[in-house]
Amino acid sequence: MVEHEGRQVPIRYRAAYGGRGSGKSHAFAQALVIRGANRTTRALCCREIQKSLKSSVKRLLSDKIRSTGLSHLYSETETEIRGPRDTLFLFEGLRSNPDSVKSMEGLDLAWVEEANTVSQRSLDLLIPTVRKPGSEIWFTWNPKNSTDPVDAMLRGAFQPPGTLIERVNFDDNPFFPEVLRADMEFDLRRDPDKYAHVWLGEYLRNSEARVFKNWKAEEFETPPDAVFYLGADWGFSVDPTVLVRCFVRDRTLFVDREVHAVGCEIDHTPAFFAGNDTAQPPRWENTRGYEGIPGALRWIIRADSARPETISYMQRRGFRIEPATKGPGSVEEGVEFLKSYDIVVHPRCKHTIDELTLYSYKTDPLTENVLPVLQDKKNHVIDALRYSIEKLRINSRSQSMFDLVRQEAETARVAEAVHNAIATAADARSPVPSGPTYAAGSVEAMKAALGG
């Protein structure tokens, strides 16, 4: 049962989408094999185009039958798999054999693999075909475009009743193979847009829309004399609570630590940030065994000012937290300041990596032109990172203004000296003293600017 509009309804659609190496197809195949061994299951395993059984999931199901030790319960022919109590697995292409699909009766389940390639016509054919009471339709796919019919149906603004959908990626798979890990890490270093699409299951997108192109994921050692900058973003509902730590060397910003969790209650936040409290008596308990970030109690944390009650709560427990300054243009200024650095992220900071990869400008849906407007999503770590170096940004801006004022003052001083030298020479009816020569126009312009 799943909730729909405030009431519990039976599951009709089970769906898993995400990137390569997540194990979603293997998980669904195993679930189907076990279900078929325990109760009568007449299942259609389909995809949009199936040129032969070699392109179907038949081989995967056969492997799962063997690996689960259920070979004695199943038998195979060239075109189907049979199990106990009239369990039957059939394999068809939705576009290749629409009449065959339409004529199927008594289906308990249909599993649509590579569902991102399925047309609206095929969905309209399949859904009413699987009409037995209690029947289900399963979908697995790697997303490509938000306009693909399966995405519009299951990930759009309005989901059909009885939808259970999960996003799964390689980091959800405990059996993620090392050979794929090497490919994933190569794509992460070389092509963040490809990494986002292939490994994180993000939609294909215009690479020009990506905000950050000035970063890389790379292991490094944090120097013992590093000056740390910490930033926090408070979670609410499905938004995560985030703390991130970084330091700066020349024009390189190093991100070496992060904590990130959805549903972190305020009572658990001190431990989430700093781990165990060594004060006596302890100011908080760490019942969940959080490790926290080293130094979170000692270094200043700049945090989202929208939650002053949370800031006050953390301050009363010894944290040096200051509210970040918000105002018109603060987000854009902060993002541009981050873009002025070369950013190096330690591989253990996976949420920072994900957000730097995915954070984008909006695009015009009609023209696909990139708009000068930041998307307000996938930005919780980015926000924390902005807050962490806010003082650097403000000081940098103040320093630049100071340098400009000093430069202008120096220019005025030199101009005044030249003006005085010209006036003295004219009064003495002598040539301009030896030194740099000035065009007449330049001298007159300088004198006019000085009121001479």
Side-chain angles (χ1 to χ4, degrees):
M1 303 290 283
V2 292
E3 184 175 329
H4 179 75
E5 296 181 350
R7 59 190 178 92
Q8 294 294 314
V9 298
I11 294 174
R12 169 66 169 167
Y13 304 103
R14 293 182 191 268
Y17 68 94
R20 184 183 301 170
S22 63
K24 51 189 177 292
S25 297
H26 286 263
F28 273 54
Q30 183 166 309
L32 181 55
V33 165
I34 293 172
R35 172 183 166 135
N38 288 311
R39 55 176 162 149
T40 301
T41 302
R42 183 177 175 87
L44 169 64
C45 303
C46 56
R47 60 181 64 209
E48 179 72 355
I49 298 175
Q50 181 176 292
K51 295 182 179 179
S52 70
L53 285 174
K54 290 182 180 180
S55 62
S56 72
V57 294
K58 184 173 183 289
R59 174 63 181 272
L60 178 58
L61 287 167
S62 300
D63 291 343
K64 291 302 176 184
I65 289 171
R66 286 189 292 271
S67 66
T68 53
L70 298 175
S71 297
H72 63 291
L73 297 178
Y74 284 93
S75 62
E76 298 184 35
T77 69
E78 186 176 342
T79 59
E80 62 187 29
I81 297 176
R82 291 187 175 273
R85 292 177 293 277
D86 294 325
T87 283
L88 177 64
F89 301 158
L90 302 167
F91 306 91
E92 291 288 357
L94 295 173
R95 185 189 300 180
S96 311
N97 301 293
D99 293 334
S100 176
V101 172
K102 187 186 302 184
S103 64
M104 289 184 177
E105 294 288 341
L107 289 175
D108 298 289
L109 186 151
W111 174 20
V112 185
E113 172 67 339
E114 296 184 357
N116 60 293
T117 64
V118 173
S119 65
Q120 188 62 53
R121 179 176 180 273
S122 294
L123 284 179
D124 293 340
L125 167 73
L126 176 67
I127 291 172
T129 300
V130 187
R131 57 183 177 270
K132 184 177 178 180
S135 59
E136 297 182 5
I137 303 177
W138 296 0
F139 297 92
T140 51
W141 77 100
N142 293 17
K144 185 176 181 181
N145 297 304
S146 61
T147 54
D148 290 335
V150 70
D151 288 271
M153 172 184 166
L154 298 177
R155 300 179 63 194
F158 302 99
Q159 290 181 343
T163 298
L164 180 63
I165 184 169
E166 294 287 343
R167 174 177 177 167
V168 288
N169 285 318
F170 69 90
D171 49 356
D172 298 306
N173 181 6
F175 307 105
F176 185 62
E178 287 303 312
V179 63
L180 286 186
R181 186 177 301 279
D183 292 339
M184 178 272 294
E185 291 176 347
F186 176 75
D187 286 340
L188 173 60
R189 292 191 301 269
R190 183 184 63 87
D191 191 342
D193 286 329
K194 180 181 178 182
Y195 166 78
H197 174 58
V198 172
W199 300 101
L200 299 183
E202 292 294 321
Y203 294 127
L204 280 174
R205 57 199 174 98
N206 186 341
S207 62
E208 293 302 314
R210 183 157 51 91
V211 174
F212 293 103
K213 303 177 183 180
N214 57 317
W215 69 279
K216 61 182 178 179
E218 184 176 275
E219 291 195 8
F220 57 86
E221 294 294 329
T222 300
D225 62 342
V227 175
F228 294 118
Y229 304 95
L230 285 82
D233 194 41
W234 310 117
F236 181 76
S237 182
V238 297
D239 291 337
T241 295
V242 175
L243 180 67
V244 65
R245 188 180 81 172
C246 61
F247 63 93
V248 175
R249 283 289 188 272
D250 297 322
R251 294 304 302 173
T252 301
L253 178 70
F254 294 87
V255 183
D256 73 334
R257 294 280 181 176
E258 68 168 33
V259 291
H260 180 290
V262 175
C264 182
E265 298 290 341
I266 189 171
D267 291 343
H268 297 296
T269 303
F272 182 60
F273 277 15
N276 295 326
D277 185 17
T278 57
Q280 294 298 328
R283 291 159 291 187
W284 65 82
E285 295 182 355
N286 189 5
T287 57
R288 300 188 177 182
Y290 290 127
E291 295 183 5
I293 291 181
L297 265 174
R298 294 190 297 109
W299 295 91
I300 292 175
I301 300 172
R302 288 184 174 83
D304 183 0
S305 59
R307 300 287 293 275
E309 72 285 358
T310 303
I311 292 176
S312 176
Y313 178 89
M314 298 293 284
Q315 288 172 336
R316 293 196 304 271
R317 280 147 187 83
F319 287 86
R320 301 173 63 195
I321 294 189
E322 299 179 357
T325 302
K326 289 188 173 184
S330 61
V331 174
E332 290 77 9
E333 286 185 21
V335 166
E336 288 302 314
F337 190 63
L338 285 172
K339 288 166 65 176
S340 71
Y341 285 97
D342 293 324
I343 301 175
V344 180
V345 184
H346 197 283
R348 63 173 163 251
C349 302
K350 65 176 185 176
H351 296 98
T352 306
I353 291 171
D354 288 350
E355 289 199 11
L356 287 172
T357 300
L358 302 175
Y359 194 42
S360 301
Y361 294 103
K362 292 182 178 181
T363 56
D364 188 325
L366 299 179
T367 66
E368 296 188 357
N369 290 334
V370 179
L371 305 176
V373 181
L374 293 165
Q375 290 189 356
D376 188 21
K377 61 181 181 178
K378 303 185 187 303
N379 59 350
H380 303 288
V381 179
I382 300 298
D383 285 346
L385 202 55
R386 285 194 298 107
Y387 302 149
S388 70
I389 59 172
E390 180 185 76
K391 287 293 185 182
L392 290 181
R393 175 174 62 84
I394 294 172
N395 290 344
S396 173
R397 184 173 58 192
S398 300
Q399 182 67 36
S400 298
M401 290 300 296
F402 174 77
D403 289 344
L404 179 61
V405 170
R406 184 176 59 185
Q407 183 179 11
E408 290 179 345
E410 180 68 11
T411 301
R413 185 190 64 80
V414 172
E416 185 177 6
V418 171
H419 172 75
N420 291 339
I422 293 172
T424 301
D427 290 343
R429 296 182 179 179
S430 61
V432 176
S434 61
T437 58
Y438 301 89
S442 299
V443 173
E444 293 305 319
M446 187 75 74
K447 290 175 68 177
L450 295 169

